[in-house]
């Protein structure tokens, strides 16, 4: 039971009313004036906080004066692509990142010259990262991790795995007399980051999982084609070959990730989206190894 102490109908006129039942929380039209309530038992005042704008998208609940109780709740604006799924949300984030990096990329394209030393470093570090991804998904038996992203159901043996192909390529290079280097800092840092992230947040890890395969398929393959033409007389490495249609394989991963994302709370989805920039940064450092020796 609440007692309506007073409300203003305009100007300074005040009207007093008696006691009447009022369920909480209670919404009133946006055009209404502010109401002030208090509980008969505690005498703490409560307020309805209403928007004066007829176009406002915010909703209001009762909040007690002096802290405590319920906070005002606002209707959240949907992220771009949110209705289509978490992967579509990631795509919009990635588009913004690519747009912001466009000028820098165009400035370096003209002087982009690969080296065999840099390319081998890139392949070795890439192998370490893909091995880490595949191992985490294959061996995820931690009870805090496995239920979160159901690795055994959705993301094991997708057909996109690359570590075995890279092993074949590095073996071929060794047979040609090339010295295979040890993994360098970009690869070891990224692999370590992925292993740590999988223990902390499955949605965040899966952001990297998807973006690494996506970036390799839609950007890495073109880079590899150009490098192979310049350094290997056009030989196509196993790294750039798949059994079956790679785009369909990625589509399956995308659909499964969207299904899984439907069960994530908004805070988990936001963590996933925040990792997109990190994924671009760490992957880009490995790609730049291809031209590193020419810049030293």
């Amino acid at each position: 039971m609440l007692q309506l102490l007073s409300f203003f109908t305009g100007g300074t006129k005040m009207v007093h009313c008696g006691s009447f039942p009022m369920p909480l929380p209670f919404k009133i039209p946006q055009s209404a004036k502010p109401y002030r309530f208090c509980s008969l038992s505690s005498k703490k005042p409560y307020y309805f906080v209403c928007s004066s704008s007829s176009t406002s998208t915010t909703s209001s609940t009762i909040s007690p004066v002096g802290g405590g109780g319920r906070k005002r709740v606002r209707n959240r604006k949907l992220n771009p692509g949110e209705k289509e799924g978490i992967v579509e949300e990631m795509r919009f984030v990635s588009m913004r990142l690519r747009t912001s990096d466009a000028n820098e990329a165009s400035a370096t394209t003209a002087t982009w010259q690969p080296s065999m030393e840099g390319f081998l470093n890139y392949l070795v570090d890439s192998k370490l990262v893909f091995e880490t991804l595949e191992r985490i998904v294959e061996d995820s038996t931690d009870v805090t991790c496995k239920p979160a992203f159901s690795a055994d159901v959705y993301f094991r043996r997708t057909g996109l795995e690359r570590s075995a192909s890279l092993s074949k390529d590095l073996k071929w290079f060794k047979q040609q007399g090339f010295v295979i280097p040890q993994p360098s800092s970009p690869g070891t840092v990224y692999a370590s980051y992925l292993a740590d992230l999988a223990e902390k947040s499955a949605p965040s890890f899966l952001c990297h999982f998807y973006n690494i395969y996506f970036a390799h398929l839609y950007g890495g393959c073109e880079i590899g084609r150009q490098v192979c033409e310049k350094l290997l007389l056009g030989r196509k490495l196993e790294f750039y070959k798949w059994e079956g249609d790679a785009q369909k394989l990625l589509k399956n991963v995308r659909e499964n990730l969207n299904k899984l994302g439907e069960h994530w709370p908004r805070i988990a989805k936001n963590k996933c989206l925040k990792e997109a920039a990190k994924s671009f940064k760490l992957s880009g450092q490995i790609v730049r190894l291809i031209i590193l020796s020419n810049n030293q």
Side-chain angles (χ1 to χ4, degrees), residues 65-82:
V65 175
R70 297 188 181 186
K71 295 181 179 179
R72 183 173 58 188
V73 177
R74 295 181 182 274
N75 292 336
R76 183 180 61 82
K77 182 179 180 182
L78 294 179
N79 290 336
E82 184 172 346

Side-chain angles (χ1 to χ4, degrees), residues 153-196:
V153 175
Y154 289 129
F155 305 117
R156 283 183 180 173
R157 304 177 183 91
T158 63
L160 293 171
E161 291 78 14
R162 297 289 84 201
S163 63
S165 298
L166 281 163
S167 294
K168 294 178 182 179
D169 288 331
L170 292 172
K171 181 179 180 181
W172 179 83
F173 276 103
K174 188 174 182 179
Q175 291 172 346
Q176 308 308 308
F178 293 99
V179 177
I180 307 302
Q182 293 297 313
S184 60
S185 177
T188 56
V189 168
Y190 200 1
S192 177
Y193 183 78
L194 290 171
D196 184 58

Side-chain angles (χ1 to χ4, degrees), residues 46 118 159 206:
Y46 288 78
L206 286 172

Side-chain angles (χ1 to χ4, degrees), residues 16 24 112 133 142 150 154 158 162 171 195 222 245 260 283:
H16 297 278
L24 298 177
W112 192 84
L133 284 179
D142 190 324
S150 302
Y154 289 129
T158 63
R162 297 289 84 201
K171 181 179 180 181
E222 176 59 25
D245 189 329
L260 190 61
S283 294

Side-chain angles (χ1 to χ4, degrees), residues 7-51:
F7 66 92
F8 295 90
T9 59
T12 60
K13 185 178 180 180
M14 180 178 294
V15 179
H16 297 278
C17 300
S19 300
F20 62 95
M22 180 72 70
L24 298 177
F26 179 78
K27 293 183 179 180
I28 57 178
Q30 292 181 346
S31 59
K33 300 297 181 179
Y35 286 75
R36 184 174 184 270
F37 294 88
C38 76
S39 169
L40 289 176
S41 59
S42 66
K43 301 301 181 182
K44 284 187 176 181
Y46 288 78
Y47 292 93
F48 282 111
V49 183
C50 301
S51 171

Side-chain angles (χ1 to χ4, degrees), residues 16 33 38 53 61 75 95-96 112 143 182 195 197 224 271:
H16 297 278
K33 300 297 181 179
C38 76
S53 172
T61 59
N75 292 336
M95 287 173 60
R96 290 196 297 269
W112 192 84
V143 294
Q182 293 297 313
L197 195 62
K271 287 181 179 180

Side-chain angles (χ1 to χ4, degrees), residues 28-290:
I28 57 178
Q30 292 181 346
S31 59
K33 300 297 181 179
Y35 286 75
R36 184 174 184 270
F37 294 88
C38 76
S39 169
L40 289 176
S41 59
S42 66
K43 301 301 181 182
K44 284 187 176 181
Y46 288 78
Y47 292 93
F48 282 111
V49 183
C50 301
S51 171
S52 60
S53 172
S54 60
T55 61
S56 174
T57 60
T58 62
S59 63
S60 304
T61 59
I62 297 177
S63 300
V65 175
R70 297 188 181 186
K71 295 181 179 179
R72 183 173 58 188
V73 177
R74 295 181 182 274
N75 292 336
R76 183 180 61 82
K77 182 179 180 182
L78 294 179
N79 290 336
E82 184 172 346
K83 291 184 178 180
E84 286 73 27
I86 187 63
V87 176
E88 188 68 5
E89 288 189 66
M90 285 196 292
R91 187 178 73 84
F92 277 95
V93 173
S94 298
M95 287 173 60
R96 290 196 297 269
L97 292 171
R98 285 196 295 268
T99 301
S100 63
D101 292 341
N103 293 334
E104 179 182 353
S106 61
T108 59
T109 300
T111 59
W112 192 84
Q113 290 295 331
S115 69
M116 184 61 73
E117 178 187 356
F119 189 47
L120 286 173
N121 285 330
Y122 163 73
L123 295 177
V124 168
D125 280 27
S126 295
K127 178 174 178 288
L128 177 61
V129 170
F130 280 106
E131 281 179 338
T132 302
L133 284 179
E134 294 162 22
R135 175 181 53 78
I136 290 172
V137 172
E138 189 70 25
D139 299 337
S140 59
T141 57
D142 190 324
V143 294
T144 64
C145 216
K146 184 177 178 181
F149 61 86
S150 302
D152 58 332
V153 175
Y154 289 129
F155 305 117
R156 283 183 180 173
R157 304 177 183 91
T158 63
L160 293 171
E161 291 78 14
R162 297 289 84 201
S163 63
S165 298
L166 281 163
S167 294
K168 294 178 182 179
D169 288 331
L170 292 172
K171 181 179 180 181
W172 179 83
F173 276 103
K174 188 174 182 179
Q175 291 172 346
Q176 308 308 308
F178 293 99
V179 177
I180 307 302
Q182 293 297 313
S184 60
S185 177
T188 56
V189 168
Y190 200 1
S192 177
Y193 183 78
L194 290 171
D196 184 58
L197 195 62
E199 294 293 332
K200 295 179 178 179
S201 172
S204 298
F205 167 79
L206 286 172
C207 174
H208 291 263
F209 178 88
Y210 179 81
N211 281 314
I212 287 172
Y213 286 114
F214 179 89
H216 177 60
L217 182 59
Y218 286 98
C221 286
E222 176 59 25
I223 292 174
R225 183 189 66 79
Q226 295 181 30
V227 173
C228 289
E229 285 181 356
K230 290 178 178 292
L231 302 179
L232 301 175
L233 301 178
R235 176 187 174 87
K236 188 173 183 179
L237 299 179
E238 297 297 319
F239 189 29
Y240 307 108
K241 299 177 184 178
W242 285 267
E243 294 182 5
D245 189 329
Q247 293 187 6
K248 288 184 178 180
L249 297 175
L250 185 66
K251 180 183 177 183
N252 292 336
V253 172
R254 178 167 60 248
E255 291 176 349
N256 287 331
L257 186 53
N258 279 332
K259 290 178 184 177
L260 190 61
E262 292 176 0
H263 305 286
W264 293 344
R266 187 65 246 175
I267 189 171
K269 292 181 180 181
N270 290 340
K271 287 181 179 180
C272 175
L273 297 178
K274 286 180 180 180
E275 287 298 318
K278 193 80 172 181
S279 176
F280 270 76
K281 177 182 177 180
L282 295 175
S283 294
Q285 290 174 350
I286 295 177
V287 172
R288 282 193 289 273
L289 289 172
I290 298 175

